[in-house]
């Protein structure tokens, strides 16, 4: 399993998808956002999940694309809700066209995502679509919690972990479960792969929180400290708020929810508190916990180690771990 | 087939639907819009379509509700796009909550609509969902055309008829086709019922255009002349523009696209031109044409007349015809 060959295969298949022609304002934004690229992690997970159980990946290809179309649908609507100007360095759909086009193109993308499942064998289709629908609703729930948290002052660490699980991790879990089911896995094995994917997904999001504060600006791809400047309630901030001394709490209070005069000074002040409280090693420990728990689910899947190895490797890559 | 009993059965079933609990801001708007009421025409069509072929309507009930949930999803997103303040006399979701809540609650409604199909027997499911998905995409296309037409100066009558077919009629057609398929009809019969529904749907929308100008304010339920005041490119206006003399064209030009100083005077002036051009009888003739064409499709359905009669009656009711 060469991951870059598999990604090429996914991108070739994505390039052949027909979303529709007329009206242009409905379908052009779909082609636009799908062409912005990305790592295509979700279809990759589906194909790797299938490959554990079968060498014939063809039946899994279109449903694999469904997870990518769905993911991009959520990006399109989330960018509108978050009023984000850019996506992968290009104008977002609501900026390039307008908000109504973003709403309606997104709606059609969700329909097209469902259509991509319809070639699934009849005896699996209802189960697969039931799992997909539950996942899709959970992703919406995660986005709603995320928006709620922006204005809530009292977000618990457990609430935050639940939010990132719903918003990000469950779709990674479903992508793997889908591949397993299409590859002929038992439902028990498919569920272990799902739980593996959910665990990796939460760990991945926690690592993203960490990189925002401690990442190398050159390789991170986003402005370091962006979460801090915007008062985003990340795992790091919630942990710091929970563990702060009175002095540290006063410093946090001077910055959080206040107008930002000097962003760099704000980032330095908050990062200093994170350092004093050892938030970084605590976060790394939690990432490790999720990772090891996820691996246990992968181990329980009834398949030879050699078939599971590419997935293990991808998880390591996603978390940028050596082993 | 007592239509009001059938509607009661639909409303009882709708009342038991569970959309989800948390976060409240995601699910409460769904319960809100579904409780605003309405004639429940689409599920009624599904059950009447099924009843042509079977006495057991139970398997058709949940899929019938799917068409109603989908319809309300389109209302929710359309109201946001159109910035409509009211729906059935109550605040729209984006007004009562906010635009982001309207986007995300709508998204989950589309997911829940798909879920309501998942009990359909395995050998029919992919076909039914393929037809539903095509219909759903067409409804979005219709809404996009409708929005495009607001700023286009040169909309043809054929383009307008295509738009109302997509935005309104195809879903009525699908609701009937769905019922037929679930009742055990052949695909040919199901398709005749679909075409019957599409024809009735276009006729129904044309009648709505007519009522806006010639309706009785007391029974119409909307302000008479609303389309005229807002320059909506209805069938009546497009016909008048196509047939106007130079003098009439000048009067139209004084009103269309101009600031409205005296709405009542505008309605009277445009209605006078409609009267001079005999737009009303021309529109009635086209409605009749769609109605008779639709009836031909109903006649071709291979079932006893007695089974088709309730559907025929409902179509007459919808078009408020004596026979």
């Amino acid at each position: 399993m060469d991951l870059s060959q598999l990604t090429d295969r996914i991108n070739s298949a994505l390039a052949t998808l027909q979303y529709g022609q007329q009206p242009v304002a409905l379908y052009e934004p779909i082609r636009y956002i799908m062409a912005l690229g990305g790592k295509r992690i979700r279809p990759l997970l589906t194909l790797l999940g299938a490959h554990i159980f079968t060498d014939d990946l063809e039946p899994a290809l279109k449903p694999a694309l469904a997870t990518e179309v769905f993911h991009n649908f959520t990006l399109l609507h989330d960018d509108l809700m978050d009023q984000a100007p850019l996506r992968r360095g290009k104008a977002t759909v609501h900026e390039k066209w307008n908000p109504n086009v973003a709403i309606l193109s997104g709606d059609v993308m969700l329909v097209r995502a469902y259509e991509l499942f319809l070639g699934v064998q009849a005896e699996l289709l209802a189960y697969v679509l039931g799992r997909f629908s539950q996942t899709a609703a959970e992703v919406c729930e995660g986005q709603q919690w995320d928006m709620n948290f922006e204005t809530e002052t009292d977000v618990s660490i457990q609430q935050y972990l639940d939010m990132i699980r719903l918003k990000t991790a469950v779709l990674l879990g479903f992508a793997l479960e889908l591949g397993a089911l299409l590859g002929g896995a038992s439902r028990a094995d498919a569920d272990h792969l799902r739980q593996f994917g959910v665990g990796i997904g939460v760990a991945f999001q926690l690592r993203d929180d960490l990189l925002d504060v401690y990442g190398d600006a050159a390789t991170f791809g986003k402005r370091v400290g962006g979460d801090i400047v915007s008062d985003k309630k990340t795992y790091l901030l919630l942990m710091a708020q929970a563990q702060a001394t009175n002095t540290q709490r006063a410093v946090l209070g001077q910055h959080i929810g206040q107008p930002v005069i000097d962003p760099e000074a704000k980032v330095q002040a908050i990062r200093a508190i994170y350092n004093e409280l050892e938030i970084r090693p605590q976060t790394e420990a939690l990432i490790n916990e999720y990772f090891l728990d996820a691996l246990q689910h992968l181990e329980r899947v009834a398949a030879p180690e050699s078939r599971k190895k590419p997935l293990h490797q991808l998880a390591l890559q996603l978390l940028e771990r050596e082993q």
Side-chain angles (χ1 to χ4, degrees), chain A:
Chain A
M1 271 297 98
D2 180 320
L3 290 191
S4 76
Q5 279 182 3
L6 221 45
T7 306
D8 288 348
R9 190 165 166 191
I10 289 162
N11 278 318
S12 302
L14 281 173
T16 68
L17 286 186
Q18 302 288 322
Y19 302 100
Q21 291 301 323
Q22 292 278 340
V24 171
L26 186 64
Y27 291 114
E28 188 60 27
I30 304 180
R31 288 187 283 272
Y32 173 78
I33 194 171
M34 291 303 296
L36 290 183
K39 295 189 291 293
R40 313 305 190 192
I41 295 295
R42 291 152 196 83
L44 207 50
L45 288 175
T46 300
L47 296 187
L48 290 178
H51 185 257
I52 294 179
F53 306 96
T54 178
D55 284 326
D56 181 13
L57 300 184
E58 199 53 36
L61 190 56
K62 268 195 159 186
L65 305 184
T67 62
E68 186 67 16
V69 172
F70 174 78
H71 173 58
N72 279 270
F73 145 74
T74 66
L75 297 180
L76 204 166
H77 274 190
D78 285 4
D79 283 343
L80 171 60
M81 289 185 268
D82 301 342
Q83 300 187 292
L86 296 175
R87 162 72 51 194
R88 301 191 209 284
K90 298 277 185 78
T92 43
V93 167
H94 64 277
E95 285 286 334
K96 191 174 163 75
W97 285 271
N98 60 56
N100 284 359
V101 158
I103 294 170
L104 208 50
S105 296
D107 291 348
V108 174
M109 283 182 87
L110 180 49
V111 170
R112 295 301 183 223
Y114 271 99
E115 281 184 318
L116 286 165
F117 287 106
L118 299 184
V120 167
Q121 55 194 105
E123 61 271 32
L124 266 180
L125 182 60
Y127 186 74
V128 162
L129 286 180
R131 292 290 309 117
F132 173 65
S133 298
Q134 190 189 329
T135 304
E138 287 176 349
V139 172
C140 293
E141 291 171 7
Q143 169 68 3
Q144 186 65 53
W145 286 123
D146 198 15
M147 292 193 297
N148 286 356
F149 291 172
E150 283 172 25
T151 51
E152 277 175 29
T153 48
D154 200 25
V155 177
S156 75
I157 286 164
Q158 188 55 51
Q159 283 179 311
Y160 177 76
L161 292 172
D162 278 345
M163 184 275 283
I164 62 175
R165 181 180 61 80
L166 292 167
K167 183 167 171 168
T168 304
V170 295
L171 184 58
L172 299 174
F174 171 73
L176 273 170
E177 178 186 14
L178 172 66
L181 291 168
L182 298 176
S186 70
R187 292 204 180 163
D189 278 344
D191 198 62
H192 278 306
L193 276 171
R194 181 184 67 75
Q195 292 192 67
F196 168 74
V198 171
I200 296 295
V202 173
F204 180 73
Q205 186 57 51
L206 289 171
R207 180 181 153 274
D208 214 52
D209 285 3
L210 206 52
L211 284 177
D212 181 79
V213 182
Y214 292 104
D216 175 2
T219 57
F220 184 43
K222 299 186 217 173
R223 191 179 49 153
V224 171
D227 288 348
I228 291 178
V229 173
S230 66
D231 291 340
K232 186 154 173 60
K233 295 182 183 75
T234 65
Y235 181 73
L236 284 73
L237 179 58
L238 295 171
M239 285 288 278
Q241 285 175 326
Q243 298 171 15
T245 62
N246 285 343
T247 318
Q248 288 165 335
R249 201 174 301 280
V251 176
L252 287 173
Q254 282 163 20
H255 289 286
I256 310 291
Q258 304 300 327
V260 181
I261 295 146
D262 181 347
E264 190 48 43
K266 178 172 178 178
V267 172
Q268 284 190 16
I270 306 271
R271 185 156 40 195
I273 292 174
Y274 289 172
N275 290 341
E276 288 162 24
L277 291 168
E278 300 185 324
I279 300 296
R280 182 177 185 166
Q282 289 188 72
T283 307
E284 283 167 346
L286 185 64
I287 291 172
N288 209 39
E289 209 177 293
Y290 274 103
F291 182 72
L292 294 178
D293 187 64
L295 281 188
Q296 288 201 354
H297 283 291
L298 186 60
E299 275 164 26
R300 274 179 235 159
V301 172
E305 285 308 308
S306 62
R307 307 293 293 199
K308 297 191 260 183
K309 201 170 176 201
L311 202 50
H312 193 151
Q313 294 291 345
L314 179 65
L316 289 172
Q317 263 183 45
L318 282 175
L319 299 174
E320 283 191 359
R321 290 166 56 114
E322 292 305 313
Q323 58 168 334

